[in-house]
Amino acid sequence: MRTLTFVVGTGRSGSTALSTIVHAHPDVLSLNELLSSVQSRGFPEGPLDGREFWRLLAEPNPQFEQMIRNGVPMPEFLYTRRPGRFATETTGIPALSLMVLPHLTDQPDTLFDELERQVRGWPRRSAADHYAALFSLLGRRAGRTAVVERSGYSLHRVPLLRKVFPHGRFVHLFRDGPDCALSMSRHTGYRLIFLLREILARSGAERIEDLTEEQIRALPPTLSPLLTDTSIPPWSSTPTCRSPVSAHCGHSSSSRAWLTSTRCPHPSGPPLPTRSSLTIPATS
């Protein structure tokens, strides 16, 4: 691996198109949405062996699985466009398979199996060393020596990435503010982020998983259904309560519908803004 570069930003700034362009370069390994797939849980403190590292890559992302299960997948979910042997309803879609591997190959299941056979036997070492080995493995397989990882909504993870990859390079991709905000307002994932942030603001909790049952019951009926799912996916032994975008409550359809509509989550709320309605104060 000659160089490692992270393209970071708020998302909705043309970064997905950039990944496609980068992938066309014969010397660059384009890692599409790896950080979004494993999130911060993919960088634990302390050493871990190959089996433990592979588990971080292979376990389905609960939030993404819940979105698929309830009919509001994000357009970045490449695996669901040409599904293979994994499915949310049965096995769950591995985190690495949902967006990363389909960007690299037309046979993501084959590549998944190939990686599993090798990664599970790796020695005990830090997560950073495991990722370096993974990047090198994928690079050698594709005949590429430079690595560019690009994930939407990744700007807040720069401190973590600098700590884990001190020699990594960073490119900040950004877009005109009003255009970016308008695009976010029409995107399922960012609508969900908006709802979850409102829940945290109303409850005073710092994290969704810290919410108490009392705090959830105190939320308005347009928000509380997003956290009331207690179903257990077939691929998991742990209940997914407090996982967003629930379909198991009477009011959930209103919140779910808003994720793909043109109105804000409150029934009496105004339509989402258009580009012409967004104004920026003049500066001297």
Side-chain angles (χ1 to χ4, degrees):
M1 182 175 62
R2 190 176 75 245
T3 60
L4 172 62
T5 302
F6 295 96
V7 179
V8 298
T10 62
R12 311 313 299 161
S13 301
S15 59
T16 301
L18 179 63
S19 280
T20 302
I21 295 171
V22 168
H23 181 58
H25 194 291
D27 196 37
V28 179
L29 176 68
S30 175
L31 297 178
N32 175 65
E33 303 283 5
L34 175 62
L35 295 180
S36 297
S37 300
V38 302
Q39 301 184 348
S40 297
R41 68 180 178 84
F43 301 91
E45 297 283 349
L48 60 163
D49 61 28
R51 289 177 178 270
E52 293 169 323
F53 178 65
W54 180 250
R55 193 177 303 121
L56 297 176
L57 304 177
E59 284 190 350
N61 182 303
Q63 292 185 358
F64 293 162
E65 290 289 284
Q66 192 70 19
M67 295 176 77
I68 296 171
R69 189 177 298 112
N70 289 281
V72 285
M74 293 195 295
E76 290 82 2
F77 294 171
L78 301 179
Y79 191 86
T80 56
R81 299 182 190 178
R82 299 178 61 183
R85 76 172 187 269
F86 300 114
T88 295
E89 298 77 15
T90 53
T91 60
I93 302 174
L96 198 64
S97 296
L98 189 58
M99 296 180 283
V100 180
L101 299 187
H103 179 72
L104 297 176
T105 176
D106 292 333
Q107 297 179 320
D109 290 352
T110 300
L111 180 53
F112 179 88
D113 293 340
E114 179 183 331
L115 293 175
E116 182 179 19
R117 286 192 296 269
Q118 299 195 47
V119 173
R120 285 170 62 90
W122 284 354
R124 192 169 186 83
R125 53 190 170 185
S126 68
D129 289 339
H130 276 298
Y131 280 109
L134 177 66
F135 299 161
S136 295
L137 173 60
L138 289 170
R140 288 194 305 271
R141 185 183 186 277
R144 305 187 179 205
T145 60
V147 178
V148 175
E149 195 287 333
R150 191 282 317 167
S151 290
Y153 195 57
S154 56
L155 194 60
H156 63 294
R157 292 198 172 98
V158 169
L160 172 63
L161 293 174
R162 289 192 64 188
K163 178 181 177 181
V164 177
F165 305 102
H167 302 296
R169 303 176 179 182
F170 293 85
V171 175
H172 179 203
L173 183 66
F174 61 94
R175 180 182 183 183
D176 177 66
D179 284 332
C180 187
L182 180 59
S183 181
M184 288 178 174
S185 73
R186 295 170 174 170
H187 187 274
T188 303
Y190 286 90
R191 289 168 179 254
L192 180 58
I193 291 172
F194 173 87
L195 292 174
L196 295 180
R197 285 185 173 180
E198 180 171 353
I199 288 172
L200 294 178
R202 286 174 175 268
S203 65
E206 293 187 2
R207 301 182 306 169
I208 291 295
E209 52 265 38
D210 294 335
L211 288 169
T212 65
E213 296 301 327
E214 182 179 357
Q215 288 173 317
I216 293 175
R217 286 194 297 269
L219 293 171
T222 53
L223 295 175
S224 58
L226 296 175
L227 305 170
T228 55
D229 183 20
T230 56
S231 64
I232 302 178
W235 46 264
S236 175
S237 59
T238 305
T240 58
C241 57
R242 298 175 191 165
S243 181
V245 199
S246 169
H248 299 274
C249 179
H251 298 288
S252 63
S253 59
S254 62
S255 298
R256 187 167 66 253
W258 177 75
L259 292 172
T260 54
S261 74
T262 58
R263 300 191 66 85
C264 73
H266 304 291
S268 60
L272 291 166
T274 62
R275 177 64 177 84
S276 59
S277 70
L278 293 169
T279 58
I280 302 296
T283 57
S284 55

